[in-house]
Amino acid sequence: TLNVSANSTVEEQQPSGTNSSSTAPGLQEQPDHNATADDVDDTQAVGQQPKPAKSSSNWSTYTVRAPDRSAGFLSRSNGARIQQLSLTEDQLTQYGAGFKDLTVEVTPETETRLHVKIQPTGQKRWEVPESIVPRPGSAKNLNQARTLYNVKQPTGKPDQSFALTVARKANGARIFDTQGHPFLFKDQYIELTTTLPRSASLYGIGETSLNTGLLLPRNGTTLTMWNRDSASAYQDNNLYGSHPFYLQVNKDGYSHGVLMLNSNGMDITINDTQLTYRIIGGLVDMYFFMGPTPEAVIRQYHQVIGAPLMPPYWTLGLHQSKWGYPNISVLEEVVANYSAAGLPLESLWVDIEYMQSRFRSMTFDEVRFPATEMRKFVQKLHAAGMSWVPIFNPAVSADPGYKSYVDGTKANVWMKDYKGETYVGQVWPGMSVYPDYLAAPNITRWLTKEVKRFYDQVPFDGMWLDMCEPSNFCTGMNCKPDPKNETQMHWLTLETPVDYMQMARRDLRIIPNRTTCQMVCEQPAATNSLAHPPYSINNGGMWGVAPLSTKIVHPTAKHADGTTEYDAHNLYGTSMAMRHYQAASAVMKNKRPFILTRSTSPGAGRFTGHWTGDNAADWINLYLSIGGIINTNMWGMSMAGADICGYIDMTQESRGDPANKWLPDAEFQELCNRWTSAGAFYPFSRNHMIIYSRPHEFYRWPDVTAAAKKAYGLRYQLLTYFYTGLFMAHTRGGTLARPLLFTDPSDVGARCVRA
């Protein structure tokens, strides 16, 4: 079901058997009675009073305030319609008090895009900054008679509850309908529900590994938006990115999309008849995309969040990586083995083992990877037409002798704690600080200087960003070492072994102890509403609900402009990618930068590609990779891939699995054979593995080598086709990798296939 295409016509077509003509105005106050019963609910006829929702509350707690003949509406020059709401009944008070007055702004921006914003009247609320998602605004000279949507709002009659209904002109089908559902708006709790037709198929909300693959489940599953360092090998957990966007394909093939542009933590629950947002901050900032085909929806979505970056041509080749190549000699062996096997290795990626002294980013270990020898090695790669990509982590060692830390302190670029002091956590370097990529005034200047110093030592070809949720091995409002605790100080300050493979020895327990908190951390009071908001999102999924602060930079931490991580946490990975793209552009001069990152949010695709993170070497993860790659394309990142053959080796005792869960060697080889044949057609195609893993470079087994030759031989014949597809996505939005249903969205079999 993975259709990699540069086709320019599929999204232009109407779904079969439909008629798109209509001349009704885009904004109206009267209901539309043209929808079929299935468009609204299989058991509810259009035009009848909606049934009360089965939810925590019955009706909207807000009514329209209309003291004059304006019916509650004010108009703006851009065609927006403004409506004022008043709180009439405050419900779910355990989540705080509702705002007394709200302002609703409904703006038709293009013929196919509608923007709806709801916020407390006269109050400034946190919203995704323009640096992350520049708002496109309304098209000039928009003819509302040509819009594909109608909007119905209450007219301000006495005691009339607020509701919002967006419908498609062509057939009256409801795109978004809050009638009969609760609407609550509090400081730390927003609840908004829309009706869904039972026959519709939904895609896109993530990032989560779902056993339904691409298709979103309709069984009451809650999808949580809160970025965390959790392996994608495990299903039903909130993972590295947050993308509150969904594509809905109705049974007639008509498709639309909905974006909730909000970076705060949220739960999105979907069942047979409705979809509910529960958001712990910010405001309601929604975009509706009318399609009418799936690919048209995605293009319209990308017009808001930004089209995917255009990567360099070399990124379409075969990439090899491993956490744990211990020295330059092993890198040379890997390159030689690929050459001897007749496989077209394009790029070699190097993980944290290249770093000096407790994993200081952008430094070279003087024994394992001395800069002078590494430069010679990279020169050989470049002479052979190959490239290399090092890893970069956000956490900076808080070591007074580390120049990056000293310079960053002088430039005042670190995140601050709730008291205004530098926020300290623990990551691979031990005691660490975090750059404020979102708001520090000097961040670009400092980072560009750091990147240039590193690049001047050994010129790299791309940047691989990891741990950027941002991950933290400790949990607390701020942390510090305890000099009296010798055991903790030992693990916190332990130098990286000269023999790097000692890291993988379980008897030495270096990795488990390095990734366990070895500091003393200040914990928030139970009454701290940023650490313990009144509503707890489902952070942790299958592992049980965990506090927001679990192993991340604490929600009480602050950016330079006063923004708390409570509001901006989900944007850290995107802001890091943005700053590194800017720094690489300045340093690499006339070369097109390539960034690959783990943590993303809407808008990240303007700067970066994405891989699906720490997957596992088993059959289910091969299956899950397809949905992950297609979702990533819908989210605006064309260069998407999964670790071929699996990152985590499922045979390892450290996972705690019983022996019958381990893949025998023969089956592991067969898995890698099949995965190679599939992975060769990922947009971003890389073989990568953990330090504990059995080696699985493609040259390890003759049959896998043969499979790789065949698959990559075909891929390389199609590179021009791939590159054309990337250019088209970059210039006008849309996908490179897309599911079969995009070709014919009315095909129920294609819509419901589990992959």
Side-chain angles (χ1 to χ4, degrees):
T1 62
L2 180 64
N3 177 19
V4 182
S5 177
N7 190 303
S8 63
T9 60
V10 63
E11 70 281 0
E12 310 293 349
Q13 303 165 356
Q14 297 294 326
S16 57
T18 62
N19 184 350
S20 65
S21 63
S22 177
T23 58
L27 298 180
Q28 64 175 36
E29 299 156 25
Q30 299 301 318
D32 189 310
H33 298 292
N34 296 323
T36 64
D38 184 72
D39 286 324
V40 183
D41 189 295
D42 288 350
T43 59
Q44 177 186 320
V46 179
Q48 294 181 351
Q49 186 72 1
K51 300 174 184 178
K54 294 180 180 179
S55 185
S56 54
S57 160
N58 288 327
W59 300 94
S60 169
T61 58
Y62 288 90
T63 56
V64 177
R65 186 170 74 243
D68 52 33
R69 297 180 182 179
S70 68
F73 300 122
L74 296 173
S75 296
R76 288 184 176 172
S77 59
N78 64 352
R81 191 167 68 184
I82 311 298
Q83 194 172 49
Q84 304 297 329
L85 309 182
S86 293
L87 181 67
T88 53
E89 181 183 0
D90 201 2
Q91 300 186 23
L92 296 183
T93 54
Q94 66 268 35
Y95 298 145
F99 287 105
K100 293 184 178 180
D101 299 295
L102 299 178
T103 297
V104 181
E105 184 173 353
V106 179
T107 308
E109 292 193 343
T110 71
E111 294 178 11
T112 58
R113 184 176 76 236
L114 177 72
H115 186 194
V116 175
K117 200 169 185 178
I118 308 176
Q119 56 190 325
T121 302
Q123 296 189 36
K124 178 65 176 176
R125 295 279 288 178
W126 162 256
E127 56 187 308
V128 176
E130 294 264 348
S131 61
I132 302 296
V133 180
R135 309 303 194 270
S138 300
K140 294 181 179 179
N141 303 318
L142 174 64
N143 183 351
Q144 293 196 24
R146 295 177 59 86
T147 58
L148 301 187
Y149 45 83
N150 286 327
V151 181
K152 186 188 75 165
Q153 294 170 261
T155 58
K157 297 177 182 179
D159 301 322
Q160 188 170 14
S161 295
F162 169 76
L164 174 70
T165 302
V166 181
R168 185 181 297 279
K169 283 182 181 180
N171 58 9
R174 301 189 186 184
I175 303 301
F176 200 84
D177 186 8
T178 70
Q179 293 181 86
H181 297 299
F183 173 48
L184 299 94
F185 202 132
K186 306 169 185 291
D187 184 37
Q188 290 184 275
Y189 184 76
I190 301 170
E191 182 176 329
L192 182 68
T193 297
T194 180
T195 298
L196 295 175
R198 285 187 170 90
S199 58
S201 302
L202 273 69
Y203 313 90
I205 298 171
E207 184 175 15
T208 304
S209 296
L210 295 170
N211 62 16
T212 52
L214 187 66
L215 187 68
L216 293 176
R218 299 283 296 275
N219 59 358
T221 294
T222 293
L223 304 169
T224 298
M225 307 293 107
W226 191 251
N227 298 354
R228 61 196 294 262
D229 178 3
S230 176
S232 58
Y234 304 108
Q235 298 174 47
D236 303 320
N237 297 302
N238 49 305
L239 298 175
Y240 316 105
S242 291
H243 295 269
F245 164 81
Y246 68 87
L247 167 68
Q248 180 175 323
V249 182
N250 291 333
K251 69 177 183 180
D252 59 3
Y254 267 113
S255 306
H256 65 266
V258 179
L259 167 66
M260 177 67 77
L261 187 57
N262 183 307
S263 64
N264 288 85
M266 74 175 78
D267 284 339
I268 304 175
T269 304
I270 315 172
N271 62 26
D272 276 347
T273 60
Q274 63 190 47
L275 179 149
T276 298
Y277 300 94
R278 294 181 177 89
I279 313 171
I280 59 173
L283 44 76
V284 175
D285 193 358
M286 304 189 74
Y287 288 87
F288 301 93
F289 310 99
M290 302 302 295
T293 63
E295 184 69 9
V297 170
I298 301 305
R299 286 187 178 180
Q300 293 155 17
Y301 176 41
H302 294 174
Q303 288 172 2
V304 172
I305 65 169
L309 64 81
M310 186 64 191
Y313 194 71
W314 64 265
T315 61
L316 288 175
L318 186 164
H319 304 262
Q320 180 60 55
S321 178
K322 179 182 179 178
W323 171 26
Y325 286 140
N327 52 53
I328 294 178
S329 296
V330 175
L331 297 184
E332 292 173 332
E333 290 176 9
V334 171
V335 174
N337 288 338
Y338 265 100
S339 178
L343 291 171
L345 180 65
E346 185 70 34
S347 183
L348 194 62
W349 295 54
V350 183
D351 213 309
I352 59 175
E353 58 269 9
Y354 81 84
M355 299 177 187
Q356 177 192 42
S357 182
R358 302 197 310 276
F359 307 110
R360 293 173 173 175
S361 194
M362 291 189 274
T363 63
F364 290 99
D365 184 86
E366 296 176 356
V367 177
R368 299 187 308 275
F369 295 89
T372 53
E373 296 304 312
M374 193 65 186
R375 186 180 183 89
K376 293 177 184 178
F377 171 68
V378 171
Q379 286 174 342
K380 292 178 183 178
L381 289 180
H382 288 166
M386 291 183 280
S387 58
W388 89 287
V389 180
I391 199 168
F392 298 77
N393 289 338
V396 174
S397 174
D399 185 335
Y402 179 30
K403 184 171 177 54
S404 296
Y405 172 71
V406 173
D407 290 350
T409 301
K410 291 178 181 177
N412 194 25
V413 299
W414 311 130
M415 293 281 296
K416 300 296 191 289
D417 68 8
Y418 71 102
K419 295 180 291 187
E421 300 175 359
T422 298
Y423 180 86
V424 178
Q426 177 189 324
V427 200
W428 287 111
M431 189 170 69
S432 304
V433 295
Y434 294 81
D436 178 3
Y437 291 117
L438 186 68
N442 297 320
I443 188 66
T444 301
R445 184 184 308 163
W446 168 80
L447 181 62
T448 301
K449 183 179 178 181
E450 296 300 310
V451 170
K452 186 178 187 305
R453 182 163 56 224
F454 184 58
Y455 185 82
D456 286 346
Q457 292 182 79
V458 183
F460 53 80
D461 299 285
M463 306 179 85
W464 174 20
L465 311 184
D466 196 17
M467 309 294 285
C468 45
E469 290 69 36
S471 182
N472 187 355
F473 299 154
C474 290
T475 298
M477 301 170 75
N478 210 333
C479 303
K480 59 183 179 181
D482 180 5
K484 297 180 180 179
N485 190 321
E486 295 182 1
T487 300
Q488 287 187 343
M489 292 301 298
H490 168 75
W491 293 115
L492 191 64
T493 60
L494 180 69
E495 296 289 335
T496 307
V498 173
D499 177 5
Y500 192 79
M501 293 313 295
Q502 290 187 28
M503 294 281 294
R505 285 181 53 184
R506 290 184 176 80
D507 59 321
L508 296 181
R509 295 191 57 78
I510 296 175
I511 292 175
N513 284 300
R514 182 67 69 100
T515 56
T516 298
C517 185
Q518 305 291 351
M519 295 201 290
V520 178
C521 300
E522 180 183 358
Q523 299 303 320
T527 55
N528 188 308
S529 63
L530 296 182
H532 307 290
Y535 174 79
S536 296
I537 60 174
N538 190 37
N539 182 36
M542 65 176 287
W543 307 111
V545 177
L548 291 180
S549 56
T550 304
K551 294 195 172 183
I552 60 169
V553 170
H554 203 271
T556 57
K558 292 184 177 182
H559 295 268
D561 61 357
T563 299
T564 63
E565 270 295 273
Y566 179 88
D567 289 325
H569 165 72
N570 285 340
L571 303 179
Y572 194 93
T574 297
S575 61
M576 181 179 177
M578 175 179 67
R579 302 301 184 186
H580 280 74
Y581 185 87
Q582 294 167 346
S585 298
V587 170
M588 298 174 72
K589 302 297 182 183
N590 297 323
K591 293 184 178 181
R592 189 181 301 145
F594 178 63
I595 311 293
L596 187 79
T597 193
R598 191 170 74 173
S599 180
T600 63
S601 64
R606 294 190 294 138
F607 314 108
T608 185
H610 174 62
W611 91 104
T612 61
D614 297 350
N615 63 1
D618 63 11
W619 296 102
I620 185 64
N621 274 262
L622 168 56
Y623 155 73
L624 292 172
S625 72
I626 303 300
I629 288 165
I630 293 174
N631 270 329
T632 301
N633 268 252
M634 290 196 290
W635 297 335
M637 291 164 281
S638 301
M639 288 302 287
D643 291 340
I644 299 173
C645 298
Y647 177 71
I648 303 171
D649 191 337
M650 301 302 278
T651 67
Q652 298 304 317
E653 288 184 67
S654 61
R655 294 188 64 255
D657 284 340
N660 62 3
K661 291 288 185 72
W662 302 352
L663 282 183
D665 288 347
E667 188 176 359
F668 180 74
Q669 179 178 339
E670 176 65 13
L671 170 69
C672 201
N673 189 320
R674 301 298 184 94
W675 206 324
T676 299
S677 299
F681 298 96
Y682 296 163
F684 172 71
S685 187
R686 183 183 69 167
N687 183 316
H688 182 44
M689 68 201 89
I690 198 171
I691 191 171
Y692 299 119
S693 176
R694 286 170 290 184
H696 56 60
E697 293 89 353
F698 296 140
Y699 55 74
R700 294 286 175 176
W701 306 278
D703 61 331
V704 175
T705 301
K709 284 183 177 180
K710 183 176 181 179
Y712 282 97
L714 178 55
R715 177 189 177 94
Y716 273 61
Q717 293 179 61
L718 298 173
L719 287 187
T720 301
Y721 186 71
F722 272 72
Y723 208 52
T724 301
L726 288 167
F727 177 76
M728 292 169 67
H730 171 66
T731 53
R732 64 181 188 181
T735 59
L736 174 66
R738 62 180 67 129
L740 186 62
L741 73 94
F742 276 34
T743 302
D744 183 3
S746 65
D747 185 336
V748 176
R751 283 179 15 214
C752 297
V753 65
R754 290 174 61 88

